[in-house]
């Protein structure tokens, strides 16, 4: 439970960690400990496997002093292009201490895309541990963390001062630069400060993503012990859960999908009460496997077999999740239901004329919230194109039922026009996964011309399938899939293509349907 000093006026994302360290040192709040699965090599020669808040505060003071010594100051963007590690957090804290702006890049980005992103944001320096060629950027470079003992002036953030430039998942090309400000980035954490998420948290979120910082602030505010799990292969993650024994595991959807590839009963997940996903909505197939594990307390406080799966639907443009749907082994609300928005979010569905869509009608999902990004850095035109009547378009297609629950059916870029009308790829994928047990995961895309065909190029529906069995008969499988689609009134699949788990996947684990469309074009 957080104490008052962490919620006083003026506390926000830019000064949260130094406020938490001061509160813990003064006994005004419980102190978190941040454990690492990869050791941090301290500039003074020590090899650290964990940080207390005071140790983290002392280290980031020295890194901030190093930046100040080198002329980095308020509002200077500094890009971070590093291997997955606690260094993203260290530089985030250090840079915000002097009012500079951390710019996060995912370590899996190709160097040429990273260089373009860094140039687009106008970074004055880059911390890159050798990941960029020397000629890629004409800016100051840090291959090791700056470190000094000289004084610096701690920056005082106003509510609208930028504290982070994050990146989108890049599913449509070069990632967009998302600006988060001091008050807005902390707003959701402030609202949910008393939520019970446990005292031992394993975060398998990418350390280069805004969500990792958001979840960590939330954990520190509650005095939790946190393991930053940067090794996210299924076996490594399962063993980390066994060793650390977390009550909550936080990750992006693909991490949970991959975890379900294991024989889960052969591992000890008994400590887990909750799984928390943020990003895209998760599939029923995978959620049901996870909620059979672990235990939780029911509303009366009675221990109950099975865990909870907190499905937080969000996007990179929000500093906190937008919708929350909680599943257990006893619940049965699926069918792409993402639940209701958080209390502070006003959610709407707009039609193509920018008017509110009727309940039950698919349209463009848009939200108004204090947590929404201030816009895309250095791209005000694109920012304005994402605003409708004061709401921010999320890039998703959804509908709302009469009870105020929302259902996600697709990304706006992935819906498919056919002779029988528009179909939504995520909706059909959910149906296939529910009815065809041999298919572990799948993605539906279209190739060719328009629905009616243009220039001799008819449109084809292509389904990529992830199949655990190497002996699967694709012809027979397509027949069964098409029978299920036909019964539901949908067009049938023209081609079935087998793909591996990591083909056509973006840096944050999202399926890249644009690259699938290119790869599976009919010859």
């Amino acid at each position: 439970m957080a104490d008052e000093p962490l919620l006083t006026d003026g506390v926000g994302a830019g000064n949260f960690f130094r406020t938490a360290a001061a509160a813990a040192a003064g006994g005004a709040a419980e102190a978190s400990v941040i454990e690492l699965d990869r050791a941090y090599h301290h500039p003074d020669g020590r090899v650290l496997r964990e940080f207390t808040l005071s140790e983290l505060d002392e280290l980031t003071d020295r890194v901030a002093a190093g930046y100040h010594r080198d002329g980095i100051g308020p509002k200077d963007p500094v890009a971070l292009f590093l291997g997955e590690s606690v260094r993203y957090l260290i530089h985030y804290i250090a840079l915000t201490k002097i009012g500079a702006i951390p710019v996060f890049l995912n370590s899996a980005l190709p160097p040429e895309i990273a260089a373009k992103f860094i140039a687009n944001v106008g970074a004055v320096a880059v911390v890159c541990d050798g990941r960029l060629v020397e000629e890629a950027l004409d800016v100051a470079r840090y291959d090791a963390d700056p470190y000094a003992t000289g004084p610096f002036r701690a920056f005082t953030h106003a509510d609208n001062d930028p504290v982070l430039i994050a990146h989108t998942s890049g599913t449509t090309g070069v990632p967009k630069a998302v600006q988060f400000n001091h008050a807005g980035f902390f707003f959701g954490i402030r609202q949910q400060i008393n939520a019970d998420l446990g005292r031992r948290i394993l975060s398998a979120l990418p350390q280069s993503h805004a969500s990792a910082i958001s979840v960590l602030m939330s954990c520190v505010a509650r005095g939790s012990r946190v393991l930053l799990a940067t090794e996210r292969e299924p076996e490594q993650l399962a063993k980390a859960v066994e060793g650390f024994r977390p009550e909550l595991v936080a990750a992006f959807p693909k991490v949970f999908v991959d975890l379900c590839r294991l024989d889960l009963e052969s591992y000890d997940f008994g400590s887990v009460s909750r799984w928390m996903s943020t990003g895209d909505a998760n599939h029923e197939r995978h959620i049901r496997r996870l909620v059979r594990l672990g235990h939780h307390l029911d509303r009366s406080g009675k221990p109950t077999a099975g865990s909870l799966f907190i499905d937080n639907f969000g996007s990179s443009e929000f500093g906190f999740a937008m919708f929350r749907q909680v599943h257990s082994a006893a619940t049965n609300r699926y069918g792409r239901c993402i639940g209701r928005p958080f209390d502070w979010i006003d959610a709407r569905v707009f039609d193509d004329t920018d008017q509110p869509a009727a309940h039950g009608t698919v349209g463009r999902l848009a939200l108004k919230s204090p947590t929404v990004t201030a816009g895309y850095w250095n791209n005000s035109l694109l920012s304005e194109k994402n605003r409708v009547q004061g709401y921010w378009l999320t890039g998703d297609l959804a509908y709302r039922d009469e009870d105020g629950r929302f259902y996600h059916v697709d990304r706006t870029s992935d819906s498919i026009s056919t002779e029988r009308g528009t179909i939504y790829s995520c909706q059909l994928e959910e149906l296939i996964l529910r009815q065809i047990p041999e298919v572990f995961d799948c993605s539906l895309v279209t190739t060719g011309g328009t629905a009616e065909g243009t220039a001799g190029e008819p449109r084809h529906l292509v389904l990529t399938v992830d199949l655990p069995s190497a002996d699967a008969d694709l012809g027979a499988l397509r027949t069964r899939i098409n029978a299920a689609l036909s019964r539901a009134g949908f067009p049938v699949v023209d081609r079935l293509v087998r793909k591996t788990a990591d083909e056509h996947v973006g840096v944050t684990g999202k399926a890249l349907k644009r690259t699938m469309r290119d790869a599976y074009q009919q010859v």
Side-chain angles (χ1 to χ4, degrees):
M1 190 76 66
D3 288 279
E4 191 63 25
L6 299 184
L7 296 179
T8 54
D9 291 342
V11 176
N15 61 9
F16 169 78
F17 286 100
R18 70 173 186 257
T19 302
E30 294 183 73
S32 284
V33 174
I34 300 171
E35 291 191 22
L36 313 175
D37 66 349
R38 290 180 179 174
Y40 174 74
H41 293 267
H42 196 287
D44 68 9
R46 287 179 291 159
V47 178
L48 303 179
R49 297 305 297 252
E50 66 178 37
F51 284 103
T52 65
L53 293 182
S54 61
E55 289 170 337
L56 187 61
D57 191 48
E58 181 182 7
L59 170 61
T60 54
D61 268 356
R62 303 285 74 80
V63 176
Y67 277 124
H68 176 73
R69 173 201 62 200
D70 295 340
I72 304 294
K75 309 299 175 71
D76 283 339
V78 176
L80 306 173
F81 187 42
L82 302 162
E84 272 291 286
S85 71
V86 72
R87 291 180 71 194
Y88 280 98
L89 172 65
I90 290 168
H91 285 271
Y92 170 86
I93 299 172
L95 288 164
T96 52
K97 281 184 174 182
I98 59 174
I101 310 169
V103 180
F104 279 10
L105 286 85
N106 192 291
S107 59
L109 276 175
E112 63 275 12
I113 299 296
K116 186 171 183 179
F117 183 90
I118 293 168
N120 288 345
V121 301
V124 302
V126 58
V127 185
C128 62
D129 64 10
R131 289 173 176 266
L132 293 171
V133 296
E134 291 295 329
E135 296 78 13
L137 289 164
D138 184 21
V139 296
R141 304 169 63 85
Y142 292 96
D143 289 328
D145 296 342
Y147 190 74
T149 56
F152 65 91
R153 177 177 294 178
F155 185 79
T156 301
H157 289 85
D159 284 353
N160 291 327
D161 281 335
V163 295
L164 177 65
I165 297 173
H167 63 275
T168 62
S169 56
T171 54
T172 58
V174 177
K176 295 182 282 292
V178 181
Q179 176 184 336
F180 289 116
N181 292 348
H182 177 65
F185 192 29
F186 191 68
F187 185 88
I189 297 159
R190 184 184 288 272
Q191 301 305 307
Q192 292 281 290
I193 203 75
N194 292 319
D196 180 15
L197 297 178
R199 304 307 296 261
R200 295 181 70 84
I201 313 295
L202 187 153
S203 174
L205 293 161
Q207 296 307 301
S208 57
H209 199 275
S211 61
I213 299 293
S214 179
V215 166
L216 189 54
M217 285 193 288
S218 178
C219 294
V220 169
R222 297 182 179 93
S224 302
R225 191 176 188 97
V226 186
L227 172 63
L228 300 187
T230 59
E231 303 284 354
R232 303 186 190 102
E233 292 301 313
E235 295 85 356
Q236 294 169 316
L237 185 61
K239 290 176 181 177
V241 171
E242 287 185 322
F244 184 67
R245 300 199 61 76
E247 297 164 79
L248 178 138
V249 178
F252 279 168
K254 188 177 186 299
V255 171
F256 292 123
V257 171
D258 288 343
L259 191 63
C260 289
R261 300 177 191 279
L262 300 177
D263 175 12
L264 295 175
E265 284 68 27
S266 66
Y267 295 88
D268 180 5
F269 293 105
S271 69
V272 179
S273 296
R274 296 169 177 85
W275 313 89
M276 186 171 73
S277 174
T278 187
D280 292 339
N282 289 258
H283 290 300
E284 176 181 351
R285 163 82 65 81
H286 309 124
I287 294 173
R288 286 194 182 276
R289 289 204 63 193
L290 293 172
V291 295
R292 294 201 301 262
L293 308 170
H295 71 283
H296 70 282
L297 301 180
D298 65 16
R299 293 186 177 182
S300 67
K302 179 182 177 181
T304 303
S307 49
L308 302 177
F309 191 97
I310 304 170
D311 200 6
N312 283 340
F313 183 77
S315 69
S316 300
E317 287 82 358
F318 285 75
F320 203 84
M322 303 178 288
F323 296 83
R324 173 167 290 177
Q325 177 79 339
V326 180
H327 301 275
S328 73
T331 58
N332 196 34
R333 190 177 297 281
Y334 289 100
R336 303 297 297 172
C337 180
I338 56 176
R340 295 185 175 93
F342 285 95
D343 292 342
W344 62 86
I345 293 177
D346 180 5
R348 300 287 177 90
V349 177
F350 288 102
D351 63 20
D352 290 338
T353 66
D354 294 344
Q355 297 303 309
H359 289 176
T361 301
V362 173
R364 296 172 297 159
L365 182 63
L367 302 141
K368 187 183 292 184
S369 167
T371 65
V372 70
T373 176
Y376 296 122
W377 187 262
N378 282 348
N379 198 336
S380 56
L381 176 60
L382 185 59
S383 300
E384 290 306 315
K385 285 182 176 292
N386 274 276
R387 295 188 177 104
V388 171
Q389 297 186 23
Y391 292 78
W392 184 275
L393 293 169
T394 70
D396 298 288
L397 296 172
Y399 66 91
R400 179 180 181 176
D401 68 15
E402 295 290 342
D403 294 325
R405 293 186 178 88
F406 286 74
Y407 295 77
H408 177 259
V409 298
D410 221 342
R411 294 287 294 169
T412 55
S413 57
D414 296 331
S415 63
I416 301 170
S417 297
T418 75
E419 293 176 340
R420 297 168 63 177
T422 300
I423 59 174
Y424 304 105
S425 63
C426 292
Q427 195 174 50
L428 270 66
E429 292 157 9
E430 190 72 36
L431 182 152
I432 292 166
L433 291 173
R434 189 168 61 249
Q435 298 196 21
I436 311 296
E438 297 95 319
V439 179
F440 180 79
D441 204 0
C442 63
S443 294
L444 182 70
V445 297
T446 183
T447 63
T450 65
E452 296 76 22
T454 58
E457 294 183 15
R459 171 160 288 187
H460 296 269
L461 291 180
V462 179
L463 184 73
T464 70
V465 287
D466 182 346
L467 305 172
S469 172
D471 301 324
D473 182 337
L474 292 187
L477 185 60
R478 185 166 75 93
T479 298
R480 292 175 53 217
I481 289 171
N482 283 343
L485 292 172
S486 294
R487 287 194 300 270
F490 294 115
V492 297
V493 170
D494 297 296
R495 296 176 62 201
L496 209 61
V497 177
R498 188 167 191 160
K499 83 172 189 70
T500 64
D502 295 319
E503 282 185 283
H504 304 294
V505 174
V507 295
T508 59
K510 288 189 177 182
L512 295 181
K513 293 186 177 179
R514 61 178 176 83
T515 71
M516 294 183 204
R517 287 189 285 266
D518 292 340
Y520 304 134
Q521 285 292 334
Q522 294 289 318
V523 179

